[in-house]
Amino acid sequence: MPELPEVEALALDLRGRLHGRAIAKVHIAAFSALKTFDPPLSALEGALVDEVTRHGKFLDIDASGTHLVLHLARAGWVRWRDEVPTIPPKPSNKSTLAVRVVLDDQSGLDITEAGTRKSLAMYVVRDPQDVPGIARLGPDPLSEEFTIDRLREILESEGRKQIKGVLRHQGTIAGIGNAYSDELLHAARMSPFKPSNSLDDTELQTLYDAIRTVLGDAVERSRGLAASELKSEKKSNLAVHGRTGEQCPVCGDIVREVSFADSSLQYCPTCQTGGKPLADRRMSKLLK
């Protein structure tokens, strides 16, 4: 799933490609992707792209005051095309294409979604805050408002909830998903099951620094990369996420996994849990 660093890099890449171009047409190939009806899609036609920004994991294309907002969900992506086909796409269960944005010079964007679980969402709105997911977002972890005191308030208010789940909740902190929550907890040498309100001042500072450093470094590495390069860049720099059975790059222990119904987490026992493997969530109590 694209998270804060990838969506930030996508926004930067598309800002350079789209600025000053007019949207000629938007074709919907997967009707389930479009979540709004007012303003209509036709409101985008002929509109000049003024800005491309990010709100958490949401990508926002501002075209003369009408916003085309995308949430790429688990398997969505944006692909740049120097020239798009002249024939509009047809809905097909065999195609990954969900939306095509055609520009005035016949270049454009293909918004795709792999797999059978269709969660990609597109909104056409007058104000990004009209998108419910954006309106509910917590603070951006790379913004000035995200201070260590703000993090302390968040963690204390969440009580004994597992810290990984708190970090992933978009209404609490915007933009951190499954991958980067694994990564920053590894950098902070902290169990993903640690209760949120149990951190002392030293642990709080360590976690805050890890959030700013892990996400900040990922954004800097991604800056200037084309959309086609971002997935491989992310994967090549992950320390534990998606690396079950491999060696931890810090201590050499074997990276382990805890599986859930529709996701999993990865961690290093030596770095994060005092050498103790985490048991399956159905059988274990929280590890402090």
Side-chain angles (χ1 to χ4, degrees):
M1 177 183 290
E3 299 179 33
L4 185 157
E6 297 82 56
V7 181
E8 179 74 22
L10 274 174
L12 180 63
D13 181 44
L14 293 178
R15 187 178 304 149
R17 296 179 186 271
L18 301 183
H19 183 74
R21 298 243 63 89
I23 296 176
K25 194 74 176 178
V26 178
H27 298 294
I28 304 296
F31 295 110
S32 62
L34 182 60
K35 306 301 182 183
T36 54
F37 62 90
D38 181 32
L41 276 179
S42 58
L44 293 165
E45 295 177 9
L48 292 176
V49 176
D50 296 320
E51 182 62 288
V52 183
T53 53
R54 174 187 62 80
H55 312 277
K57 299 179 190 178
F58 290 84
L59 190 66
D60 176 8
I61 301 173
D62 178 357
S64 301
T66 300
H67 296 258
L68 190 162
V69 177
L70 295 167
H71 189 280
L72 299 173
R74 177 169 293 190
W77 199 244
V78 178
R79 304 180 188 279
W80 173 260
R81 300 192 67 154
D82 291 324
E83 184 175 358
V84 298
T86 56
I87 301 175
K90 294 181 180 180
S92 171
N93 293 331
K94 296 181 180 179
S95 174
T96 61
L97 182 64
V99 179
R100 174 168 290 157
V101 179
V102 184
L103 302 177
D104 54 356
D105 63 352
Q106 204 55 31
S107 63
L109 307 173
D110 278 356
I111 295 96
T112 62
E113 184 174 24
T116 58
R117 183 177 177 181
K118 302 301 182 183
S119 303
L120 183 145
M122 173 179 146
Y123 308 82
V124 181
V125 293
R126 297 178 181 87
D127 186 329
Q129 292 298 316
D130 292 338
V131 177
I134 292 179
R136 292 194 298 264
L137 287 175
D140 191 289
L142 295 183
S143 68
E144 291 184 1
E145 68 172 303
F146 189 76
T147 62
I148 190 168
D149 288 334
R150 184 73 183 96
L151 177 61
R152 178 185 287 108
E153 292 172 3
I154 289 170
L155 296 180
E156 289 180 352
S157 69
E158 294 300 314
R160 295 189 61 78
K161 292 180 182 177
Q162 295 176 2
I163 195 163
K164 177 177 170 71
V166 171
L167 293 172
R168 287 186 62 186
H169 188 268
Q170 298 304 295
T172 303
I173 303 173
I176 300 173
N178 195 30
Y180 283 105
S181 57
D182 282 350
E183 292 299 297
L184 60 89
L185 286 171
H186 176 258
R189 304 179 72 87
M190 196 169 292
S191 169
F193 289 173
K194 187 175 181 66
S196 294
N197 64 355
S198 68
L199 277 65
D200 59 29
D201 288 345
T202 299
E203 290 172 323
L204 180 69
Q205 184 68 59
T206 300
L207 179 61
Y208 180 78
D209 291 343
I211 291 171
R212 303 285 281 205
T213 300
V214 169
L215 295 177
D217 288 352
V219 167
E220 287 305 312
R221 288 194 307 269
S222 300
R223 193 179 301 277
L225 294 181
S228 59
E229 302 174 280
L230 289 173
K231 288 185 179 181
S232 59
E233 192 286 327
K234 175 182 180 179
K235 187 175 181 180
S236 64
N237 284 282
L238 296 175
V240 291
H241 183 78
R243 299 195 179 280
T244 303
E246 300 180 24
Q247 286 189 327
C248 169
V250 174
C251 71
D253 195 359
I254 299 301
V255 174
R256 296 183 184 244
E257 176 177 304
V258 176
S259 296
F260 301 95
D262 59 352
S263 66
S264 62
L265 65 82
Q266 286 81 43
Y267 69 100
C268 170
T270 294
C271 291
Q272 296 175 253
T273 60
K276 300 177 182 178
L278 298 176
D280 185 275
R281 65 172 184 151
R282 295 166 295 182
M283 302 171 62
S284 65
K285 296 181 179 180
L286 302 184
L287 290 181
K288 295 184 179 180

